[in-house]
Amino acid sequence: MNVNIRNASKEDLPVIISLIHEFAAFQQTPQKVAITLEQMQAETNLFQCLVAENEAGEILGFASFFFAYYSWTGKALYLDDLYVTANYRKLNIGSGLINAVIDLAKAENCKKVKWQVSQWNENAINFYKKMGAVIDNTEINCDLDLSKN
């Protein structure tokens, strides 16, 4: 199967929103998704995403990311979500997406790529370790929801 990885367009947003909901269900946290299509469309200047599509143009997965600056290391790319639909896993689509993100980070002179992985997701942890990522158990995530304050 030929897979094309490209920058997401505004026309892709409805499919990406659907995949975000699918990903949240996979993570067993569907209640955490608060983003709407309208919000994403209004914030396209901030939303950066790559999509993987087959020959028919069907989006099979996505990688959303943003650039960040870490006081200890400098410019970085933060991979927010990496998801491939269940029927297309184990076909190197996830590898293609993350490698495209890494290539972008290198092209933008980032010092590192950073992301999270769920502790229960052994397949993802093993995938990331195999590619050389260090899984850091030191930090705990903090999430302050400003819509409730």
Side-chain angles (χ1 to χ4, degrees):
M1 170 192 320
N2 290 327
V3 174
N4 179 42
I5 296 176
R6 62 170 175 80
N7 288 320
S9 68
K10 261 190 160 178
E11 293 74 31
D12 298 323
L13 295 180
V15 175
I16 293 169
I17 285 281
S18 176
L19 291 176
I20 289 169
H21 284 279
E22 190 177 309
F23 182 37
F26 171 77
Q27 290 284 95
Q28 301 173 7
T29 56
Q31 72 283 359
K32 289 189 175 185
V33 177
I35 191 85
T36 64
L37 178 58
E38 295 75 24
Q39 180 184 354
M40 190 175 278
Q41 289 169 331
E43 297 172 345
T44 56
N45 61 321
L46 296 172
F47 183 68
Q48 297 181 70
C49 184
L50 299 175
V51 294
E53 64 182 2
N54 63 15
E55 301 93 345
E58 177 187 9
I59 295 175
L60 312 175
F62 73 97
S64 59
F65 59 91
F66 57 88
F67 292 96
Y69 194 88
Y70 293 98
S71 57
W72 289 13
T73 57
K75 186 178 179 182
L77 186 148
Y78 190 90
L79 174 61
D80 186 42
D81 284 328
L82 173 67
Y83 182 71
V84 176
T85 58
N87 292 340
Y88 294 97
R89 292 187 193 137
K90 308 276 188 207
L91 298 174
N92 293 319
I93 296 169
S95 296
L97 281 165
I98 199 162
N99 285 328
V101 167
I102 292 166
D103 289 345
L104 176 62
K106 288 177 180 177
E108 292 290 329
N109 297 313
C110 292
K111 304 299 181 210
K112 67 178 175 178
V113 177
K114 189 170 182 169
W115 66 93
Q116 299 172 325
V117 62
S118 298
Q119 291 179 343
W120 60 265
N121 194 341
E122 286 296 320
N123 287 337
I125 290 169
N126 291 333
F127 169 67
Y128 297 142
K129 283 182 178 178
K130 191 160 65 167
M131 59 181 289
V134 175
I135 309 297
D136 179 1
N137 294 323
T138 304
E139 297 176 10
I140 297 173
N141 295 317
C142 299
D143 189 5
L144 176 63
D145 186 346
L146 297 179
S147 67
K148 297 180 180 177
N149 289 339

